[in-house]
Amino acid sequence: MLVRNEIWHKNLYGFLYIILWFFEKENRMKHFGAAILAIVCLQLVESAAVFDRNYTKPYVLKKTWVQNFIKFQYIFEGNQQKPKIVPLGCSPTNVDSDNYLKPGETSIEHDFLFSCEEGEDGVLNYEATACIDAHGEVMHPGETRRLSNGTVVLHCNIYGGALKKVVERAAGCYFNETIYSEDEKWVEPQVNPADSSIDGRLMQCFRPHYSYYESHVVGCVIGKLGVLIGEFGQLLDGSYVKCVEAELGHVSLKTVNVDELQCKMDEQTFAHASQWTDDKKGANMKCNYGHIVKESCVIGNETLSIGQEVPVSRGCIFLCHPQTNVYICDDYLQEFQIIETEGQDLGPIEGNQIIVEEPEKKKSLKSVFKF
């Protein structure tokens, strides 16, 4: 075939030379059309020759189109010239053009990283493989980013079989790359470094309106000691201080006298750290930095720790509560009456004694009396 084509070329060039010579000697205008026809014949022969030289993989491109972001071409292939549809690549614009991605190439579109991948069966897929955050950085599935000072969390993950970006508010307060839940406390540096009275501010997370979280300063920090605003503390040198809020967000320590830490109860004054037994309430008490603290309960000669339950007479169970004593009884007690005047105190049940034998079953909470 190649030899025949070369002979054809030689004959054609000789034929063209004769036409040009004749064109110069005779009539130029008359034979101009013949010369053009000869040039067209030459081009057709050239195309046929190129086709023959690449006959090892013959094809004729018929048309291309894009469907679902994949660009296809329609070809005839093989000696039988059977039609065949071949995918060329991926089109991010979903339109048929000369610009498309080849298998293995990627493109950033609509805050996602899209990849053109070819499977083992030759099928092309154009899909999002990663997310792009607000700073243009790639986020792989499962990664998160914190935005707006940590109060907003951006997730990149697969939901319902598709890669999605989900933005949500952090469930808590943010500080130093940590999320603190509601009522949780942490320590932050002092807002005024010139104030050396404290080492830091004690912060707490609040959710006042059930819609967003706020971090509030709630106390002073001295070393490992945290003192709430309005409360007292003792320094290593033995002196007493009070945490005060001079202005919004700024706290400091105020030196106080030990007499300011006294407690008052039933028209009596108790010094700080002093302890006593209140026979009326049946409890051991202590004055701690200006607050009265119930340390244990007393029934007869027995001392009960806070939270302890014991069976007592009259079919009741006694619970040593940190604030008020609680009697749990199944049966109606004749000595109890409903009172109308607030502030009246019935006092303890007279003659209560701890029962040594454990009852067969624990009394249910049918009536609760607090003293």
Side-chain angles (χ1 to χ4, degrees):
M1 178 66 71
L2 294 179
V3 175
R4 185 176 58 185
N5 285 336
E6 291 177 359
I7 297 174
W8 185 280
H9 273 83
K10 293 180 181 179
N11 294 335
L12 183 61
Y13 282 117
F15 178 68
L16 180 60
Y17 175 78
I18 295 173
I19 291 177
L20 293 177
W21 177 81
F22 188 80
F23 176 72
E24 292 177 354
K25 294 295 183 178
E26 300 296 333
N27 191 344
R28 297 176 183 267
M29 297 302 297
K30 181 178 180 181
H31 299 283
F32 181 74
I36 296 298
L37 179 60
I39 294 176
V40 172
C41 292
L42 177 61
Q43 291 180 344
L44 291 176
V45 174
E46 285 288 344
S47 299
V50 171
F51 184 85
D52 289 339
R53 286 197 298 270
N54 294 278
Y55 194 76
T56 56
K57 189 180 180 182
Y59 69 90
V60 178
L61 180 62
K62 303 299 291 185
K63 66 176 182 178
T64 63
W65 71 93
V66 171
Q67 182 177 354
N68 195 23
F69 297 94
I70 304 298
K71 183 172 183 177
F72 297 92
Q73 70 174 2
Y74 185 79
I75 63 173
F76 286 107
E77 185 179 50
N79 297 330
Q80 303 297 327
Q81 291 190 345
K82 296 180 180 180
K84 184 178 181 180
I85 298 176
V86 179
L88 293 179
C90 306
S91 176
T93 59
N94 205 27
V95 296
D96 189 8
S97 66
D98 294 334
N99 297 323
Y100 60 91
L101 301 178
K102 296 180 181 180
E105 295 182 339
T106 59
S107 174
I108 296 178
E109 301 288 340
H110 309 294
D111 295 331
F112 288 94
L113 178 67
F114 289 85
S115 178
C116 185
E117 300 292 341
E118 182 177 4
E120 296 180 357
D121 53 359
V123 177
L124 287 182
N125 292 313
Y126 182 69
E127 58 185 1
T129 58
C131 306
I132 305 298
D133 65 9
H135 305 289
E137 299 294 333
V138 175
M139 294 176 57
H140 297 286
E143 292 187 5
T144 60
R145 297 282 191 275
R146 300 195 182 275
L147 311 173
S148 301
N149 196 23
T151 58
V152 177
V153 181
L154 174 64
H155 297 269
C156 178
N157 219 328
I158 298 177
Y159 302 91
L163 188 66
K164 297 181 181 180
K165 291 170 62 177
V166 178
V167 179
E168 65 177 2
R169 285 195 171 274
C173 302
Y174 177 81
F175 173 73
N176 196 23
E177 299 183 357
T178 303
I179 296 294
Y180 295 91
S181 59
E182 187 176 3
D183 297 332
E184 193 173 359
K185 295 182 179 67
W186 68 95
V187 178
E188 291 187 7
Q190 171 64 295
V191 293
N192 184 11
D195 185 359
S196 59
S197 63
I198 65 175
D199 298 324
R201 301 181 300 164
L202 185 63
M203 308 295 294
Q204 188 173 5
C205 186
F206 292 92
R207 194 180 183 186
H209 305 294
Y210 301 99
S211 59
Y212 58 90
Y213 294 87
E214 296 179 351
S215 56
H216 295 178
V217 56
V218 295
C220 308
V221 177
I222 315 104
K224 296 183 179 181
L225 176 64
V227 182
L228 297 177
I229 295 176
E231 300 294 334
F232 302 94
Q234 186 176 17
L235 302 181
L236 295 177
D237 59 4
S239 62
Y240 294 97
V241 292
K242 182 179 182 180
C243 179
V244 296
E245 186 175 15
E247 57 188 40
L248 184 63
H250 178 77
V251 290
S252 61
L253 295 177
K254 176 184 176 183
T255 304
V256 296
N257 190 283
V258 68
D259 294 338
E260 299 184 41
L261 280 65
Q262 294 178 346
C263 301
K264 292 184 178 182
M265 179 180 178
D266 297 334
E267 299 181 356
Q268 297 185 44
T269 301
F270 301 91
H272 166 61
S274 62
Q275 296 175 306
W276 70 98
T277 299
D278 190 316
D279 296 328
K280 182 180 179 180
K281 292 181 172 54
N284 293 320
M285 317 296 284
K286 180 181 180 180
C287 178
N288 186 47
Y289 292 101
H291 298 281
I292 298 176
V293 179
K294 181 179 179 180
E295 292 189 315
S296 59
C297 299
V298 178
I299 294 184
N301 297 325
E302 299 290 337
T303 299
L304 308 176
S305 59
I306 300 296
Q308 185 176 353
E309 291 185 15
V310 293
V312 294
S313 57
R314 307 190 189 187
C316 298
I317 291 178
F318 175 79
L319 170 62
C320 184
H321 191 270
Q323 295 178 350
T324 58
N325 295 335
V326 179
Y327 294 88
I328 305 173
C329 305
D330 277 338
D331 301 327
Y332 170 68
L333 302 181
Q334 298 292 333
E335 61 268 30
F336 285 107
Q337 297 179 358
I338 298 176
I339 60 175
E340 297 180 357
T341 305
E342 293 184 2
Q344 256 186 322
D345 189 0
L346 293 178
I349 298 179
E350 300 295 337
N352 261 343
Q353 296 178 357
I354 298 176
I355 298 178
V356 178
E357 293 86 13
E358 190 72 21
E360 295 181 0
K361 65 175 183 177
K362 191 174 181 180
K363 302 299 182 180
S364 61
L365 184 61
K366 291 185 178 180
S367 58
V368 177
F369 304 93
K370 297 181 180 180
F371 300 91

